Amino acid sequence: MNLQQLEYSLTLEKLGSFTRAAQALNMTQPALSLQIKNLENEIGISLFDRSRSRIEPTEQGLKFLLKAGEIVRAGKQLKEYAITLGSEYGGELKLGIIPTLSPYLVPLFLDPLLNQYPELSLEIHELLTEEILQKIRLGDLDGGIISTPIARQGITITPLFYESFYMYHNNEEGRDAKSLKVSNLDLKHLWLLEEGNCFRDQVSDICSLKNEKTNTRISYHCSSIDSLIRMVDNQGGTTILPELTTLSLDAEQEQNLILLEEKVREVGFVTRKLTGKEHLFEVLNGKIRSSVPAPMREKKGREVVDPGILEAWR
């Protein structure tokens, strides 16, 4: 068994096809099949189920590949660590950020971070939570900024800050209200993000929407909070906003905000254990925390809403 065979196996798991994996690895398909078969013979288990159109790991194979991924990443991290010895805060960070955070958070910390650490480079991908977690597991990302807490094997979480929830409306009569209990929300004309977004799940949770019907004449599927704001501005009704998005509203729009009491969204940094880049994560997280308003750095006894992320990898 060698690292190269492990890398071959991980590539096959990722691409689900001997043909595509062989092309990605710049080798022939028979050569790849032989290397995988030799590895399986040596360890005494079948890593992949070859009976389906897409190659998938067996139950035992998935467990083996999880450990194999850790070993391969450790080898790469050792090389990266050697490079950073000459420049303590140099190198590259590949990050994933969920869409309800990315356009509002990244502009706050990007320049301060890169100005202070000129030898550091960032590659940022706007992705859904499950995509971020999967890419962290496969080693395609170093870390991610998502809504936490979560329970996921091999993942470490560093809480960064806490966002209040705000109701956003376009009703002149409601402009005097500054705060509101969730139980008093009017849900009949509530605009929501598309299903599959963890922020929608959180809104559904705090508003108890499982059996509620909202606006029935228009079915609007979107993944952008800015789109929801514009729908309220033009069509009326209400939506729920996380706190960072409210920082970009103009003075007139700010009058349409009503703080929802009692609950907050926790935002955290997630990564694999022992990546070799912990010193870079530390400066990144420090810049993120310092870039948000000070009151957002503490939850102040409020309840953290569950983002609804399942524990299993698959």
Side-chain angles (χ1 to χ4, degrees), residues 8 40 62 135 212 309:
Y8 292 163
E40 290 177 322
L62 181 57
K135 287 181 178 292
E212 290 280 351
I309 307 301

PDB file of all heavy atoms in Angstrom, residues 8 40 62 135 212 309:
ATOM      1  N   TYR A   8      -5.427   7.436  -5.776  1.00  0.00           N
ATOM      2  CA  TYR A   8      -6.220   6.869  -6.863  1.00  0.00           C
ATOM      3  C   TYR A   8      -7.629   6.519  -6.369  1.00  0.00           C
ATOM      4  O   TYR A   8      -8.631   6.804  -7.035  1.00  0.00           O
ATOM      5  CB  TYR A   8      -5.562   5.607  -7.410  1.00  0.00           C
ATOM      6  CG  TYR A   8      -4.252   5.823  -8.137  1.00  0.00           C
ATOM      7  CD1 TYR A   8      -3.385   4.752  -8.374  1.00  0.00           C
ATOM      8  CD2 TYR A   8      -3.878   7.081  -8.598  1.00  0.00           C
ATOM      9  CE1 TYR A   8      -2.187   4.926  -9.046  1.00  0.00           C
ATOM     10  CE2 TYR A   8      -2.670   7.265  -9.259  1.00  0.00           C
ATOM     11  CZ  TYR A   8      -1.826   6.188  -9.480  1.00  0.00           C
ATOM     12  OH  TYR A   8      -0.636   6.374 -10.141  1.00  0.00           O
ATOM     13  N   GLU A  40      -7.135  -3.470  -3.011  1.00  0.00           N
ATOM     14  CA  GLU A  40      -8.199  -4.255  -2.385  1.00  0.00           C
ATOM     15  C   GLU A  40      -7.699  -5.631  -1.970  1.00  0.00           C
ATOM     16  O   GLU A  40      -8.042  -6.138  -0.890  1.00  0.00           O
ATOM     17  CB  GLU A  40      -9.381  -4.393  -3.351  1.00  0.00           C
ATOM     18  CG  GLU A  40     -10.142  -3.085  -3.574  1.00  0.00           C
ATOM     19  CD  GLU A  40     -11.261  -3.229  -4.573  1.00  0.00           C
ATOM     20  OE1 GLU A  40     -11.079  -3.971  -5.574  1.00  0.00           O
ATOM     21  OE2 GLU A  40     -12.329  -2.603  -4.383  1.00  0.00           O
ATOM     22  N   LEU A  62     -16.118   2.911   2.462  1.00  0.00           N
ATOM     23  CA  LEU A  62     -16.284   4.298   2.878  1.00  0.00           C
ATOM     24  C   LEU A  62     -15.493   4.579   4.153  1.00  0.00           C
ATOM     25  O   LEU A  62     -14.834   5.620   4.272  1.00  0.00           O
ATOM     26  CB  LEU A  62     -17.757   4.608   3.095  1.00  0.00           C
ATOM     27  CG  LEU A  62     -18.085   6.044   3.513  1.00  0.00           C
ATOM     28  CD1 LEU A  62     -17.555   7.039   2.494  1.00  0.00           C
ATOM     29  CD2 LEU A  62     -19.587   6.224   3.714  1.00  0.00           C
ATOM     30  N   LYS A 135     -16.812  18.911   0.512  1.00  0.00           N
ATOM     31  CA  LYS A 135     -15.533  19.306  -0.067  1.00  0.00           C
ATOM     32  C   LYS A 135     -14.434  19.397   0.995  1.00  0.00           C
ATOM     33  O   LYS A 135     -13.263  19.147   0.698  1.00  0.00           O
ATOM     34  CB  LYS A 135     -15.680  20.644  -0.813  1.00  0.00           C
ATOM     35  CG  LYS A 135     -16.441  20.513  -2.135  1.00  0.00           C
ATOM     36  CD  LYS A 135     -16.533  21.844  -2.855  1.00  0.00           C
ATOM     37  CE  LYS A 135     -17.258  21.676  -4.191  1.00  0.00           C
ATOM     38  NZ  LYS A 135     -16.453  20.864  -5.144  1.00  0.00           N
ATOM     39  N   GLU A 212     -47.822  25.511   8.074  1.00  0.00           N
ATOM     40  CA  GLU A 212     -48.402  26.815   7.727  1.00  0.00           C
ATOM     41  C   GLU A 212     -48.379  27.021   6.213  1.00  0.00           C
ATOM     42  O   GLU A 212     -47.466  26.597   5.513  1.00  0.00           O
ATOM     43  CB  GLU A 212     -47.598  27.948   8.395  1.00  0.00           C
ATOM     44  CG  GLU A 212     -47.773  28.008   9.909  1.00  0.00           C
ATOM     45  CD  GLU A 212     -49.067  28.696  10.306  1.00  0.00           C
ATOM     46  OE1 GLU A 212     -49.726  29.262   9.421  1.00  0.00           O
ATOM     47  OE2 GLU A 212     -49.401  28.663  11.498  1.00  0.00           O
ATOM     48  N   ILE A 309     -28.590  20.506  10.121  1.00  0.00           N
ATOM     49  CA  ILE A 309     -27.620  19.744   9.328  1.00  0.00           C
ATOM     50  C   ILE A 309     -27.535  18.332   9.874  1.00  0.00           C
ATOM     51  O   ILE A 309     -27.258  18.123  11.053  1.00  0.00           O
ATOM     52  CB  ILE A 309     -26.217  20.403   9.375  1.00  0.00           C
ATOM     53  CG1 ILE A 309     -26.323  21.882   8.978  1.00  0.00           C
ATOM     54  CG2 ILE A 309     -25.253  19.656   8.483  1.00  0.00           C
ATOM     55  CD1 ILE A 309     -26.888  22.101   7.604  1.00  0.00           C
TER      56      ILE A 309
END
